[in-house]
Amino acid sequence: MQVDTLQLKLTQTFKFQIVTFFCLGAIYGRGAWNVFAVLFLAGTTGHSCSTSGVLWFGNLTQEGSEHITLGNLTASYSLGDVTPTLISGECDVTIATENGTNVTRDCPHGWVYYSEFESTIISEWELVCVRAYLSELSTTVYLLGSMFGALLISPLSDKYGRRVVLLVSLIVQAVVGSCVSLSPNYTVFTALRFVVGFFNMSIGLSSYVMVTELFPEVYCTLACCGLQIFWAVGIMLTSLFGFIVRNWRHLQLLISLPNILFIVMIWFLPESLPWLISQGKLDRAQAVVNRIAKFNGIKNLDVDEILNVQHYSHNRQTAEEQRLVQHSDKQNQLEKENEEIDGQKFQSSHNEENIAAQNYTATSQTLDPCSYSDQSDKPSGGKCKSLFILCSNPRLRFYSLILFYLFFVSSLSYFGISLSTPVLHGDQFINLFLLGVVEIPAYILCVVVGGRFGRKIPLCVFLLICGLMNIIAAFTSNQRISAIKILSDVCVIISKFAITGVYTTIYLYAAEMFPTSVRNQAMGLSSFFENLGSLTAPFIIFSAKSIPELPMILFGAVSIVGAILVMIMPETHRRPLPVFIEDLESLDKRNTKEHLEL
């Protein structure tokens, strides 16, 4: 009995599946807290040079230098025949005199901060002026930790199990996240945030995989799209936490300590049933089946049938290995027979053996993930070298470059728009809340339009909407008219809706575009460009402090270019998945033929 059939029998009432889905969804959604809480941990603050204390300014008059006691932001003092005016800026203090003699100094006594937050890492460690880039750098380091976590921690779930990795990651993140709130300086804060990001990605991926393995294949798509809604809810809760808790250390504790509750939830959840069976842990798998059946009130379920799932056993032989053994046995048998027959009969049998070997080779080639129907496409050495394979064929190389660009754009725009919340008009807490709200209909719409219109058209439309809305927002953001300011914010919200649709669709489109022989390697490289986009976003947002329109114009431009590139790509919906590289040519031919028929 196949695992999918077994899971179908366990979903007669769905009670266990629903409870587990909501537990894993809550764990998945809490990942948004660590990603977006930096908007409030490093909340934007107004600031100016402090004028308390005694400042020394030289050469104010020809008679010599004077000591000036400064108490207010702007004050006038009489120095002989000169009346200087004190001007306190964001990064310097200037003494301006009536005769045009000005003296400017960097803020010698620190800064005064004007913020709706009680404290942030910016105000506590003075990350302003020449140190302002450090705020965005901490976000980039966090995202860099997420990238390494996906590469190094997540694969361990295939070896040790999803539940174990999830538990360990939650425990470590709870401890390290709490230590972040005790950081004595910026360096420790950034280093600990790297560790938090490192485990945050593994938690998200492990919980996502567990959801995909919780339901039979027929319900998998709906479950995975539904899981994304928890991420949107996580964004909305982040805005609520930031609104309630205005001290960054207390806020960090608030987003870290709930991991203890999630640890308890995971502790009572069983291991993934498909993983247990794939590892040959049939006794534990049978215990999980009994537990699910009892919870769902299923009776007369022959759980002993699970012992017959040898196809998923850890010690099983692959189809290719079994064919190889059969072929080897047949070859040995033919050799023994050939010793007893004359040369003519031996030659005939030998020819039959060669034909059988050729048939075996052709059959086993289809089972080899690194195989090619045309041996000229096979890289030297016969090894799967992803970059070499993707560059070996002109058509595959062309499509791969476009898809890599789309992954980069989707991640860049998604995180760029999300992290731009503080520079938008209006209340930043409401803005972030709305950016989370608009993701929910985007996920639902992707399921609907994806099944009706395919991948290419929705992806192109989403990119165009995102690009146009970002450009409109860029040129209306600095207007003084209230209605135009509101229009700018609405455009940003619509662009977030659109880029969420892009992010959801591009994964499915790429999986259907890359041939089976290179799909895993190609998706791995795609993930690299996706992470590259997220790492770039904070520094582009930093440029908004000097050029406010630049980020949105850039996000809009790259999105429109992506929409144009999508138009020259083939449709993959309701098409057989390409197995070999040259299958992409037949995919193009089918799309061209249908286009001509229309």
Side-chain angles (χ1 to χ4, degrees):
M1 181 175 65
Q2 301 294 326
V3 175
D4 195 63
T5 304
L6 175 62
Q7 289 182 314
L8 278 173
K9 290 188 176 183
L10 292 172
T11 56
Q12 294 180 12
T13 61
F14 282 100
K15 287 192 299 183
F16 176 85
Q17 286 77 9
I18 291 176
V19 171
T20 304
F21 173 77
F22 275 92
C23 290
L24 293 173
I27 295 173
Y28 184 80
R30 50 136 293 286
W33 301 350
N34 291 289
V35 175
F36 295 99
V38 70
L39 295 173
F40 309 127
L41 298 176
T44 303
T45 59
H47 62 276
S48 62
C49 287
S50 174
T51 57
S52 61
V54 178
L55 302 182
W56 178 274
F57 289 92
N59 301 323
L60 287 180
T61 67
Q62 295 179 354
E63 299 177 357
S65 59
E66 298 285 347
H67 284 89
I68 306 175
T69 301
L70 307 176
N72 301 318
L73 293 181
T74 302
S76 297
Y77 297 87
S78 177
L79 297 177
D81 58 347
V82 180
T83 303
T85 301
L86 173 64
I87 302 175
S88 178
E90 290 187 350
C91 299
D92 53 46
V93 175
T94 301
I95 291 292
T97 63
E98 295 178 354
N99 61 5
T101 302
N102 299 332
V103 177
T104 301
R105 295 287 186 273
D106 293 335
C107 300
H109 289 278
W111 288 264
V112 176
Y113 296 94
Y114 314 98
S115 173
E116 55 192 328
F117 297 101
E118 180 182 334
S119 70
T120 67
I121 64 171
I122 292 179
S123 61
E124 184 166 334
W125 296 317
E126 298 187 338
L127 305 182
V128 294
C129 296
V130 295
R131 289 166 52 86
Y133 73 95
L134 293 175
S135 175
E136 278 68 25
L137 180 61
S138 67
T139 302
T140 299
V141 171
Y142 171 86
L143 294 172
L144 190 63
S146 297
M147 182 175 67
F148 280 104
L151 294 175
L152 301 178
I153 296 295
S154 299
L156 296 179
S157 64
D158 291 331
K159 182 177 182 180
Y160 299 105
R162 289 76 165 98
R163 180 173 172 270
V164 172
V165 171
L166 199 53
L167 277 172
V168 172
S169 298
L170 284 169
I171 293 172
V172 174
Q173 193 187 69
V175 174
V176 176
S178 299
C179 291
V180 171
S181 66
L182 304 176
S183 300
N185 53 55
Y186 170 82
T187 302
V188 174
F189 171 84
T190 303
L192 292 179
R193 281 273 295 172
F194 176 89
V195 179
V196 171
F198 187 85
F199 287 97
N200 198 55
M201 180 59 73
S202 65
I203 293 172
L205 291 178
S206 295
S207 56
Y208 186 90
V209 170
M210 288 188 72
V211 168
T212 61
E213 296 175 344
L214 176 65
F215 292 90
E217 185 178 359
V218 65
Y219 302 110
C220 189
T221 301
L222 183 61
C224 291
C225 290
L227 185 67
Q228 300 297 335
I229 295 178
F230 287 93
W231 178 266
V233 174
I235 296 176
M236 291 185 281
L237 286 176
T238 305
S239 67
L240 178 62
F241 295 159
F243 177 78
I244 296 175
V245 182
R246 303 299 178 96
N247 184 298
W248 79 267
R249 295 184 183 274
H250 298 162
L251 178 60
Q252 180 62 40
L253 280 177
L254 179 61
I255 64 176
S256 301
L257 293 181
N259 274 25
I260 299 175
L261 173 62
F262 298 132
I263 291 169
V264 174
M265 293 166 55
I266 290 297
W267 186 265
F268 288 99
L269 292 180
E271 181 58 88
S272 166
L273 181 59
W275 182 83
L276 290 173
I277 296 176
S278 69
Q279 298 297 308
K281 303 179 184 296
L282 300 182
D283 292 338
R284 290 179 58 188
Q286 185 172 358
V288 171
V289 171
N290 290 334
R291 181 177 175 182
I292 297 174
K294 181 178 180 181
F295 194 93
N296 286 347
I298 301 174
K299 300 180 180 180
N300 302 323
L301 179 63
D302 187 7
V303 297
D304 292 335
E305 288 185 88
I306 193 174
L307 300 177
N308 296 325
V309 191
Q310 297 180 357
H311 178 72
Y312 295 92
S313 173
H314 177 65
N315 298 321
R316 72 186 186 277
Q317 291 178 310
T318 63
E320 180 181 0
E321 292 173 335
Q322 293 175 358
R323 290 177 183 273
L324 182 60
V325 171
Q326 294 174 0
H327 174 67
S328 178
D329 293 341
K330 181 177 180 180
Q331 184 177 5
N332 293 335
Q333 181 180 0
L334 288 174
E335 289 178 353
K336 292 180 180 180
E337 293 177 355
N338 289 337
E339 293 177 356
E340 302 175 358
I341 60 178
D342 55 18
Q344 182 178 3
K345 186 175 181 180
F346 172 81
Q347 183 65 33
S348 175
S349 298
H350 186 66
N351 291 337
E352 292 178 0
E353 180 186 352
N354 288 338
I355 294 174
Q358 294 174 0
N359 291 335
Y360 165 75
T361 301
T363 303
S364 62
Q365 186 184 39
T366 62
L367 300 174
D368 185 4
C370 302
S371 61
Y372 296 80
S373 62
D374 183 0
Q375 291 299 313
S376 64
D377 289 335
K378 191 173 182 178
S380 60
K383 298 180 180 180
C384 277
K385 299 180 180 179
S386 57
L387 185 59
F388 181 88
I389 295 173
L390 294 177
C391 295
S392 62
N393 182 276
R395 191 179 300 273
L396 179 59
R397 180 170 62 247
F398 179 69
Y399 290 159
S400 297
L401 289 175
I402 293 178
L403 289 172
F404 293 160
Y405 176 80
L406 294 176
F407 271 97
F408 175 82
V409 168
S410 62
S411 181
L412 174 69
S413 298
Y414 180 87
F415 283 98
I417 295 171
S418 299
L419 297 178
S420 296
T421 301
V423 302
L424 298 179
H425 300 291
D427 187 273
Q428 59 178 316
F429 305 104
I430 295 178
N431 289 338
L432 181 61
F433 184 85
L434 293 177
L435 290 180
V437 170
V438 297
E439 289 197 11
I440 297 177
Y443 294 131
I444 298 174
L445 184 63
C446 284
V447 176
V448 177
V449 300
R452 182 176 179 84
F453 299 103
R455 323 300 185 211
K456 178 178 174 179
I457 294 178
L459 187 59
C460 181
V461 172
F462 281 137
L463 283 167
L464 278 176
I465 294 175
C466 178
L468 293 175
M469 292 299 104
N470 278 329
I471 292 176
I472 294 175
F475 288 104
T476 57
S477 59
N478 292 328
Q479 298 297 321
R480 297 182 178 181
I481 303 176
S482 299
I484 297 181
K485 290 182 179 180
I486 295 175
L487 173 63
S488 176
D489 290 347
V490 170
C491 289
V492 173
I493 293 174
I494 295 176
S495 68
K496 178 64 183 303
F497 169 87
I499 200 61
T500 301
V502 172
Y503 222 135
T504 306
T505 307
I506 188 60
Y507 265 95
L508 182 59
Y509 189 51
E512 295 175 344
M513 177 64 67
F514 289 121
T516 303
S517 57
V518 295
R519 185 170 295 124
N520 288 338
Q521 300 95 319
M523 292 301 291
L525 282 176
S526 299
S527 178
F528 170 82
F529 286 94
E530 176 190 358
N531 283 282
L532 185 62
S534 63
L535 291 173
T536 307
F539 288 100
I540 296 178
I541 297 302
F542 178 72
S543 67
K545 296 182 179 180
S546 56
I547 310 176
E549 300 85 2
L550 179 60
M552 288 302 175
I553 292 177
L554 182 60
F555 299 150
V558 296
S559 298
I560 292 176
V561 171
I564 296 173
L565 293 175
V566 169
M567 293 304 297
I568 59 180
M569 297 280 283
E571 178 60 77
T572 60
H573 183 48
R574 296 180 181 175
R575 305 287 191 274
L577 292 178
V579 178
F580 302 108
I581 293 176
E582 59 270 23
D583 289 342
L584 291 175
E585 297 180 3
S586 60
L587 183 65
D588 282 344
K589 291 178 181 178
R590 284 194 297 270
N591 282 275
T592 301
K593 181 178 179 181
E594 293 179 359
H595 178 72
L596 292 175
E597 290 177 353
L598 292 175

